[in-house]
Amino acid sequence: MRVFDMRYIMDLDPDGDPGTHDEMGTDTDGVKTTSNVEVKTKVGRHDNVWYSFGYRYVMPQVAAWKFKATQSNPRGSYACVSTGAPKASYISLDRSTVPDRLIMGEYCRPESGYPSTGRIASYPVSALEGRSADVTAEGWANYLPMANGGAQGAAAYNGTLYVNESKGTDEPGNLWRFQWSNGQLVQNGQAVKTARGAEDLYVERGTGRLWSVSEHRRRGRRPTARRTGTLPIRRGRTTASECSTPTKLSWLDSRP
């Protein structure tokens, strides 16, 4: 998992003149560096010069988290093993708990010999921010109770876990709701139909909205969306392969 910090954004062209190759000061290794936004084929530091594919601003990676266990999933397959390091397929932030926690889960499709439907867990954000010691996952025993797997996004809020299940290019996806009970996930209500190619989920703080990203635009058709809860989604042309839509949590939680 790559870590970026919005407090550290580099301006590689502070004077607004790409031809001046501005001085960037002394780097952490004591070497003075400059910048170059004219070259659009390089990124990162090369021969004491910072490049950015021609962009003015860069947010560099500041750290990375890696699983200590070995990952042994079969190659060329969406199947997952039930032990060892999981896949890191999607993440979200749960701000309804103290401390905040990072939700991480894996996309799996069960196959013969590989019954896992995907694991999901959380990490205290405060512990991850320290970057000085191992951080233990909370809840890897929680296998998603979805017979066919296919989870591509999840978000938690006030004790409810919302999970997006993709059904491919031709069928609407499913948005599932789960509750934590005695250390296990228990389904809460029926699946709510959502967009094709349902993927990541995000809870917008202070608004009561759950945002969903979807893919698989149908060729030759203008993308449309129905009124979801009380939030109308505009109809219009787009060339994007993905779109995002909001749903009111109050409406979603009221579904049977």
Side-chain angles (χ1 to χ4, degrees):
M1 182 174 66
R2 299 176 183 269
V3 181
F4 298 86
D5 192 331
M6 294 188 69
R7 295 171 297 180
Y8 299 100
I9 298 177
M10 298 175 64
D11 183 355
L12 299 189
D13 188 20
D15 65 359
D17 183 356
T20 57
H21 299 179
D22 299 295
E23 294 184 0
M24 298 300 294
T26 303
D27 213 338
T28 55
D29 57 2
V31 177
K32 291 184 178 181
T33 60
T34 59
S35 64
N36 187 328
V37 295
E38 294 184 297
V39 175
K40 296 179 172 54
T41 57
K42 293 183 179 180
V43 66
R45 178 178 157 181
H46 301 270
D47 297 325
N48 303 326
V49 178
W50 287 100
Y51 297 90
S52 57
F53 288 139
Y55 293 99
R56 176 172 176 174
Y57 297 101
V58 174
M59 186 163 61
Q61 179 179 331
V62 298
W65 283 98
K66 295 182 178 181
F67 294 112
K68 295 184 70 175
T70 301
Q71 190 177 80
S72 53
N73 293 310
R75 294 183 179 275
S77 170
Y78 293 128
C80 300
V81 296
S82 300
T83 58
K87 297 177 183 177
S89 303
Y90 51 85
I91 60 174
S92 65
L93 182 63
D94 180 8
R95 292 191 176 100
S96 67
T97 61
V98 179
D100 296 344
R101 56 178 179 165
L102 187 76
I103 306 295
M104 178 182 291
E106 57 182 350
Y107 174 84
C108 302
R109 290 289 189 187
E111 294 181 6
S112 177
Y114 298 96
S116 177
T117 57
R119 292 171 285 175
I120 192 164
S122 65
Y123 299 86
V125 172
S126 57
L128 292 173
E129 287 178 337
R131 305 176 195 162
S132 59
D134 294 344
V135 179
T136 302
E138 300 172 355
W140 278 123
N142 290 306
Y143 292 88
L144 290 167
M146 300 163 57
N148 298 315
Q152 288 202 267
Y157 186 75
N158 284 345
T160 298
L161 180 70
Y162 304 92
V163 180
N164 255 349
E165 175 194 6
S166 174
K167 302 290 286 186
T169 59
D170 299 322
E171 294 183 45
N174 290 323
L175 178 55
W176 298 91
R177 294 159 290 168
F178 301 102
Q179 298 282 340
W180 305 96
S181 178
N182 296 323
Q184 294 183 331
L185 290 171
V186 178
Q187 184 176 328
N188 180 24
Q190 303 172 12
V192 177
K193 290 298 179 183
T194 185
R196 292 176 176 85
E199 293 190 316
D200 290 279
L201 291 169
Y202 165 72
V203 176
E204 183 180 358
R205 180 164 50 179
T207 65
R209 294 176 181 173
L210 178 69
W211 287 84
S212 172
V213 174
S214 61
E215 57 178 351
H216 301 323
R217 177 189 173 191
R218 299 180 69 183
R219 293 184 179 180
R221 296 287 299 277
R222 285 167 47 170
T224 61
R226 294 177 299 177
R227 184 182 295 266
T228 306
T230 58
L231 296 174
I233 310 303
R234 288 185 178 180
R235 178 192 304 257
R237 296 184 182 275
T238 179
T239 57
S241 60
E242 297 193 1
C243 63
S244 57
T245 55
T247 303
K248 277 195 171 181
L249 288 171
S250 57
W251 176 88
L252 184 61
D253 292 340
S254 69
R255 297 303 91 189

mmCIF file of all heavy atoms in Angstrom, residues 50-80:
data_model
loop_
_atom_site.group_PDB
_atom_site.id
_atom_site.type_symbol
_atom_site.label_atom_id
_atom_site.label_comp_id
_atom_site.label_asym_id
_atom_site.label_seq_id
_atom_site.Cartn_x
_atom_site.Cartn_y
_atom_site.Cartn_z
ATOM 1 N N TRP A 50 14.669 17.047 -10.683
ATOM 2 C CA TRP A 50 13.330 16.504 -10.467
ATOM 3 C C TRP A 50 12.493 16.671 -11.735
ATOM 4 O O TRP A 50 12.415 17.754 -12.306
ATOM 5 C CB TRP A 50 12.639 17.222 -9.308
ATOM 6 C CG TRP A 50 13.188 16.840 -7.969
ATOM 7 C CD1 TRP A 50 14.091 17.531 -7.207
ATOM 8 C CD2 TRP A 50 12.877 15.662 -7.229
ATOM 9 N NE1 TRP A 50 14.367 16.860 -6.046
ATOM 10 C CE2 TRP A 50 13.624 15.703 -6.032
ATOM 11 C CE3 TRP A 50 12.033 14.582 -7.457
ATOM 12 C CZ2 TRP A 50 13.558 14.709 -5.066
ATOM 13 C CZ3 TRP A 50 11.960 13.587 -6.498
ATOM 14 C CH2 TRP A 50 12.717 13.654 -5.323
ATOM 15 N N TYR A 51 11.849 15.577 -12.168
ATOM 16 C CA TYR A 51 10.988 15.582 -13.346
ATOM 17 C C TYR A 51 9.567 15.162 -12.932
ATOM 18 O O TYR A 51 9.370 14.500 -11.911
ATOM 19 C CB TYR A 51 11.503 14.607 -14.401
ATOM 20 C CG TYR A 51 12.869 14.952 -14.947
ATOM 21 C CD1 TYR A 51 14.024 14.443 -14.344
ATOM 22 C CD2 TYR A 51 13.021 15.766 -16.067
ATOM 23 C CE1 TYR A 51 15.291 14.753 -14.842
ATOM 24 C CE2 TYR A 51 14.271 16.079 -16.573
ATOM 25 C CZ TYR A 51 15.405 15.565 -15.945
ATOM 26 O OH TYR A 51 16.651 15.867 -16.449
ATOM 27 N N SER A 52 8.584 15.512 -13.785
ATOM 28 C CA SER A 52 7.189 15.250 -13.413
ATOM 29 C C SER A 52 6.307 14.978 -14.634
ATOM 30 O O SER A 52 5.122 15.287 -14.616
ATOM 31 C CB SER A 52 6.632 16.455 -12.654
ATOM 32 O OG SER A 52 6.767 17.626 -13.455
ATOM 33 N N PHE A 53 6.892 14.419 -15.690
ATOM 34 C CA PHE A 53 6.149 14.228 -16.943
ATOM 35 C C PHE A 53 5.591 15.554 -17.461
ATOM 36 O O PHE A 53 4.589 15.585 -18.171
ATOM 37 C CB PHE A 53 5.002 13.223 -16.773
ATOM 38 C CG PHE A 53 5.464 11.794 -16.622
ATOM 39 C CD1 PHE A 53 4.846 10.956 -15.703
ATOM 40 C CD2 PHE A 53 6.500 11.276 -17.385
ATOM 41 C CE1 PHE A 53 5.252 9.635 -15.553
ATOM 42 C CE2 PHE A 53 6.920 9.960 -17.246
ATOM 43 C CZ PHE A 53 6.300 9.146 -16.329
ATOM 44 N N GLY A 54 6.229 16.651 -17.094
ATOM 45 C CA GLY A 54 5.810 17.960 -17.577
ATOM 46 C C GLY A 54 4.818 18.684 -16.695
ATOM 47 O O GLY A 54 4.510 19.854 -16.942
ATOM 48 N N TYR A 55 4.316 18.030 -15.661
ATOM 49 C CA TYR A 55 3.356 18.684 -14.772
ATOM 50 C C TYR A 55 4.077 19.586 -13.768
ATOM 51 O O TYR A 55 5.217 19.328 -13.380
ATOM 52 C CB TYR A 55 2.531 17.645 -14.015
ATOM 53 C CG TYR A 55 1.607 16.850 -14.901
ATOM 54 C CD1 TYR A 55 1.960 15.576 -15.341
ATOM 55 C CD2 TYR A 55 0.390 17.381 -15.312
ATOM 56 C CE1 TYR A 55 1.115 14.844 -16.163
ATOM 57 C CE2 TYR A 55 -0.468 16.660 -16.126
ATOM 58 C CZ TYR A 55 -0.093 15.389 -16.551
ATOM 59 O OH TYR A 55 -0.932 14.687 -17.364
ATOM 60 N N ARG A 56 3.363 20.629 -13.339
ATOM 61 C CA ARG A 56 3.977 21.564 -12.393
ATOM 62 C C ARG A 56 4.035 20.991 -10.986
ATOM 63 O O ARG A 56 5.027 21.152 -10.285
ATOM 64 C CB ARG A 56 3.207 22.881 -12.392
ATOM 65 C CG ARG A 56 3.727 23.874 -11.363
ATOM 66 C CD ARG A 56 3.091 25.244 -11.507
ATOM 67 N NE ARG A 56 3.549 26.136 -10.443
ATOM 68 C CZ ARG A 56 3.264 27.447 -10.367
ATOM 69 N NH1 ARG A 56 2.508 27.998 -11.307
ATOM 70 N NH2 ARG A 56 3.720 28.181 -9.365
ATOM 71 N N TYR A 57 2.959 20.323 -10.563
ATOM 72 C CA TYR A 57 2.877 19.855 -9.180
ATOM 73 C C TYR A 57 3.017 18.336 -9.100
ATOM 74 O O TYR A 57 2.512 17.597 -9.955
ATOM 75 C CB TYR A 57 1.548 20.280 -8.549
ATOM 76 C CG TYR A 57 1.384 21.781 -8.462
ATOM 77 C CD1 TYR A 57 0.595 22.470 -9.386
ATOM 78 C CD2 TYR A 57 2.020 22.509 -7.463
ATOM 79 C CE1 TYR A 57 0.443 23.844 -9.310
ATOM 80 C CE2 TYR A 57 1.871 23.888 -7.379
ATOM 81 C CZ TYR A 57 1.089 24.553 -8.309
ATOM 82 O OH TYR A 57 0.946 25.918 -8.226
ATOM 83 N N VAL A 58 3.674 17.876 -8.052
ATOM 84 C CA VAL A 58 3.884 16.448 -7.820
ATOM 85 C C VAL A 58 3.640 16.154 -6.347
ATOM 86 O O VAL A 58 4.111 16.900 -5.469
ATOM 87 C CB VAL A 58 5.318 16.013 -8.187
ATOM 88 C CG1 VAL A 58 5.561 14.565 -7.790
ATOM 89 C CG2 VAL A 58 5.566 16.192 -9.670
ATOM 90 N N MET A 59 2.902 15.098 -6.070
ATOM 91 C CA MET A 59 2.747 14.626 -4.695
ATOM 92 C C MET A 59 3.494 13.300 -4.592
ATOM 93 O O MET A 59 2.989 12.254 -4.995
ATOM 94 C CB MET A 59 1.274 14.461 -4.321
ATOM 95 C CG MET A 59 1.080 14.102 -2.848
ATOM 96 S SD MET A 59 -0.627 14.378 -2.269
ATOM 97 C CE MET A 59 -1.532 13.254 -3.343
ATOM 98 N N PRO A 60 4.719 13.319 -4.094
ATOM 99 C CA PRO A 60 5.540 12.102 -4.089
ATOM 100 C C PRO A 60 5.106 11.108 -3.017
ATOM 101 O O PRO A 60 4.526 11.484 -1.997
ATOM 102 C CB PRO A 60 6.946 12.631 -3.804
ATOM 103 C CG PRO A 60 6.710 13.886 -3.014
ATOM 104 C CD PRO A 60 5.435 14.480 -3.542
ATOM 105 N N GLN A 61 5.388 9.869 -3.276
ATOM 106 C CA GLN A 61 5.149 8.824 -2.277
ATOM 107 C C GLN A 61 6.088 9.042 -1.100
ATOM 108 O O GLN A 61 7.283 9.283 -1.278
ATOM 109 C CB GLN A 61 5.395 7.447 -2.890
ATOM 110 C CG GLN A 61 5.190 6.289 -1.934
ATOM 111 C CD GLN A 61 5.419 4.948 -2.606
ATOM 112 O OE1 GLN A 61 5.214 4.806 -3.811
ATOM 113 N NE2 GLN A 61 5.850 3.967 -1.830
ATOM 114 N N VAL A 62 5.546 8.962 0.126
ATOM 115 C CA VAL A 62 6.358 9.209 1.316
ATOM 116 C C VAL A 62 6.623 7.935 2.114
ATOM 117 O O VAL A 62 7.507 7.913 2.986
ATOM 118 C CB VAL A 62 5.698 10.258 2.229
ATOM 119 C CG1 VAL A 62 5.575 11.600 1.515
ATOM 120 C CG2 VAL A 62 4.321 9.790 2.703
ATOM 121 N N ALA A 63 5.859 6.877 1.855
ATOM 122 C CA ALA A 63 6.057 5.628 2.605
ATOM 123 C C ALA A 63 5.290 4.514 1.906
ATOM 124 O O ALA A 63 4.592 4.739 0.907
ATOM 125 C CB ALA A 63 5.579 5.778 4.049
ATOM 126 N N ALA A 64 5.434 3.307 2.436
ATOM 127 C CA ALA A 64 4.687 2.159 1.917
ATOM 128 C C ALA A 64 4.506 1.147 3.031
ATOM 129 O O ALA A 64 5.385 0.976 3.890
ATOM 130 C CB ALA A 64 5.425 1.523 0.741
ATOM 131 N N TRP A 65 3.351 0.492 3.028
ATOM 132 C CA TRP A 65 3.079 -0.590 3.955
ATOM 133 C C TRP A 65 3.015 -1.901 3.172
ATOM 134 O O TRP A 65 2.391 -1.962 2.120
ATOM 135 C CB TRP A 65 1.752 -0.365 4.688
ATOM 136 C CG TRP A 65 1.845 0.654 5.796
ATOM 137 C CD1 TRP A 65 1.505 1.965 5.740
ATOM 138 C CD2 TRP A 65 2.331 0.419 7.123
ATOM 139 N NE1 TRP A 65 1.733 2.576 6.944
ATOM 140 C CE2 TRP A 65 2.234 1.649 7.814
ATOM 141 C CE3 TRP A 65 2.825 -0.703 7.790
ATOM 142 C CZ2 TRP A 65 2.624 1.790 9.142
ATOM 143 C CZ3 TRP A 65 3.201 -0.554 9.115
ATOM 144 C CH2 TRP A 65 3.104 0.672 9.783
ATOM 145 N N LYS A 66 3.671 -2.929 3.715
ATOM 146 C CA LYS A 66 3.662 -4.238 3.061
ATOM 147 C C LYS A 66 3.229 -5.311 4.059
ATOM 148 O O LYS A 66 3.515 -5.206 5.256
ATOM 149 C CB LYS A 66 5.055 -4.579 2.510
ATOM 150 C CG LYS A 66 5.516 -3.654 1.398
ATOM 151 C CD LYS A 66 6.878 -4.088 0.860
ATOM 152 C CE LYS A 66 7.321 -3.189 -0.276
ATOM 153 N NZ LYS A 66 8.648 -3.617 -0.819
ATOM 154 N N PHE A 67 2.552 -6.334 3.551
ATOM 155 C CA PHE A 67 2.170 -7.455 4.407
ATOM 156 C C PHE A 67 3.410 -8.262 4.772
ATOM 157 O O PHE A 67 4.290 -8.492 3.936
ATOM 158 C CB PHE A 67 1.167 -8.357 3.695
ATOM 159 C CG PHE A 67 -0.159 -7.699 3.423
ATOM 160 C CD1 PHE A 67 -0.549 -7.414 2.132
ATOM 161 C CD2 PHE A 67 -1.011 -7.361 4.468
ATOM 162 C CE1 PHE A 67 -1.767 -6.799 1.873
ATOM 163 C CE2 PHE A 67 -2.227 -6.740 4.224
ATOM 164 C CZ PHE A 67 -2.606 -6.461 2.922
ATOM 165 N N LYS A 68 3.474 -8.722 6.017
ATOM 166 C CA LYS A 68 4.600 -9.543 6.451
ATOM 167 C C LYS A 68 4.465 -10.979 5.969
ATOM 168 O O LYS A 68 5.459 -11.644 5.687
ATOM 169 C CB LYS A 68 4.714 -9.518 7.980
ATOM 170 C CG LYS A 68 5.061 -8.145 8.542
ATOM 171 C CD LYS A 68 5.264 -8.202 10.053
ATOM 172 C CE LYS A 68 6.543 -8.958 10.400
ATOM 173 N NZ LYS A 68 6.810 -8.908 11.860
ATOM 174 N N ALA A 69 3.233 -11.474 5.889
ATOM 175 C CA ALA A 69 3.008 -12.851 5.447
ATOM 176 C C ALA A 69 3.193 -12.959 3.933
ATOM 177 O O ALA A 69 3.118 -11.972 3.199
ATOM 178 C CB ALA A 69 1.605 -13.307 5.841
ATOM 179 N N THR A 70 3.412 -14.167 3.478
ATOM 180 C CA THR A 70 3.568 -14.423 2.048
ATOM 181 C C THR A 70 2.204 -14.508 1.379
ATOM 182 O O THR A 70 1.259 -15.073 1.930
ATOM 183 C CB THR A 70 4.329 -15.739 1.811
ATOM 184 O OG1 THR A 70 5.615 -15.655 2.447
ATOM 185 C CG2 THR A 70 4.508 -16.013 0.323
ATOM 186 N N GLN A 71 2.095 -13.937 0.199
ATOM 187 C CA GLN A 71 0.863 -14.033 -0.579
ATOM 188 C C GLN A 71 1.010 -15.185 -1.574
ATOM 189 O O GLN A 71 1.944 -15.209 -2.370
ATOM 190 C CB GLN A 71 0.585 -12.730 -1.320
ATOM 191 C CG GLN A 71 -0.800 -12.683 -1.941
ATOM 192 C CD GLN A 71 -1.088 -11.347 -2.601
ATOM 193 O OE1 GLN A 71 -0.658 -11.104 -3.712
ATOM 194 N NE2 GLN A 71 -1.820 -10.474 -1.908
ATOM 195 N N SER A 72 0.087 -16.122 -1.527
ATOM 196 C CA SER A 72 0.213 -17.333 -2.351
ATOM 197 C C SER A 72 -1.047 -17.612 -3.152
ATOM 198 O O SER A 72 -1.455 -18.763 -3.298
ATOM 199 C CB SER A 72 0.547 -18.539 -1.466
ATOM 200 O OG SER A 72 -0.391 -18.666 -0.404
ATOM 201 N N ASN A 73 -1.676 -16.574 -3.669
ATOM 202 C CA ASN A 73 -2.859 -16.764 -4.500
ATOM 203 C C ASN A 73 -2.455 -17.367 -5.852
ATOM 204 O O ASN A 73 -1.371 -17.078 -6.368
ATOM 205 C CB ASN A 73 -3.571 -15.436 -4.739
ATOM 206 C CG ASN A 73 -4.165 -14.864 -3.472
ATOM 207 O OD1 ASN A 73 -4.868 -15.556 -2.748
ATOM 208 N ND2 ASN A 73 -3.877 -13.604 -3.187
ATOM 209 N N PRO A 74 -3.311 -18.202 -6.446
ATOM 210 C CA PRO A 74 -2.973 -18.808 -7.738
ATOM 211 C C PRO A 74 -2.878 -17.747 -8.825
ATOM 212 O O PRO A 74 -3.685 -16.819 -8.879
ATOM 213 C CB PRO A 74 -4.146 -19.772 -7.989
ATOM 214 C CG PRO A 74 -5.274 -19.230 -7.168
ATOM 215 C CD PRO A 74 -4.636 -18.635 -5.953
ATOM 216 N N ARG A 75 -1.889 -17.877 -9.686
ATOM 217 C CA ARG A 75 -1.693 -16.915 -10.766
ATOM 218 C C ARG A 75 -2.723 -17.118 -11.874
ATOM 219 O O ARG A 75 -3.181 -18.221 -12.109
ATOM 220 C CB ARG A 75 -0.282 -17.039 -11.339
ATOM 221 C CG ARG A 75 0.821 -16.648 -10.358
ATOM 222 C CD ARG A 75 2.190 -16.719 -11.015
ATOM 223 N NE ARG A 75 3.253 -16.322 -10.107
ATOM 224 C CZ ARG A 75 3.637 -15.067 -9.903
ATOM 225 N NH1 ARG A 75 3.035 -14.088 -10.565
ATOM 226 N NH2 ARG A 75 4.601 -14.779 -9.058
ATOM 227 N N GLY A 76 -3.065 -16.022 -12.524
ATOM 228 C CA GLY A 76 -3.986 -16.109 -13.639
ATOM 229 C C GLY A 76 -5.407 -16.442 -13.243
ATOM 230 O O GLY A 76 -6.166 -16.993 -14.043
ATOM 231 N N SER A 77 -5.771 -16.129 -12.008
ATOM 232 C CA SER A 77 -7.098 -16.487 -11.517
ATOM 233 C C SER A 77 -7.558 -15.443 -10.518
ATOM 234 O O SER A 77 -6.757 -14.737 -9.898
ATOM 235 C CB SER A 77 -7.066 -17.864 -10.837
ATOM 236 O OG SER A 77 -8.267 -18.136 -10.152
ATOM 237 N N TYR A 78 -8.878 -15.311 -10.365
ATOM 238 C CA TYR A 78 -9.438 -14.431 -9.345
ATOM 239 C C TYR A 78 -9.656 -15.167 -8.030
ATOM 240 O O TYR A 78 -10.193 -14.595 -7.078
ATOM 241 C CB TYR A 78 -10.763 -13.853 -9.820
ATOM 242 C CG TYR A 78 -10.629 -12.896 -10.986
ATOM 243 C CD1 TYR A 78 -11.389 -13.065 -12.147
ATOM 244 C CD2 TYR A 78 -9.749 -11.824 -10.933
ATOM 245 C CE1 TYR A 78 -11.269 -12.193 -13.220
ATOM 246 C CE2 TYR A 78 -9.624 -10.945 -11.996
ATOM 247 C CZ TYR A 78 -10.386 -11.135 -13.135
ATOM 248 O OH TYR A 78 -10.265 -10.269 -14.191
ATOM 249 N N ALA A 79 -9.256 -16.432 -7.963
ATOM 250 C CA ALA A 79 -9.400 -17.212 -6.734
ATOM 251 C C ALA A 79 -8.413 -16.713 -5.681
ATOM 252 O O ALA A 79 -7.357 -16.160 -6.004
ATOM 253 C CB ALA A 79 -9.175 -18.686 -7.014
ATOM 254 N N CYS A 80 -8.756 -16.917 -4.412
ATOM 255 C CA CYS A 80 -7.915 -16.466 -3.308
ATOM 256 C C CYS A 80 -7.716 -17.599 -2.307
ATOM 257 O O CYS A 80 -8.634 -18.386 -2.052
ATOM 258 C CB CYS A 80 -8.559 -15.291 -2.572
ATOM 259 S SG CYS A 80 -8.847 -13.831 -3.585
#
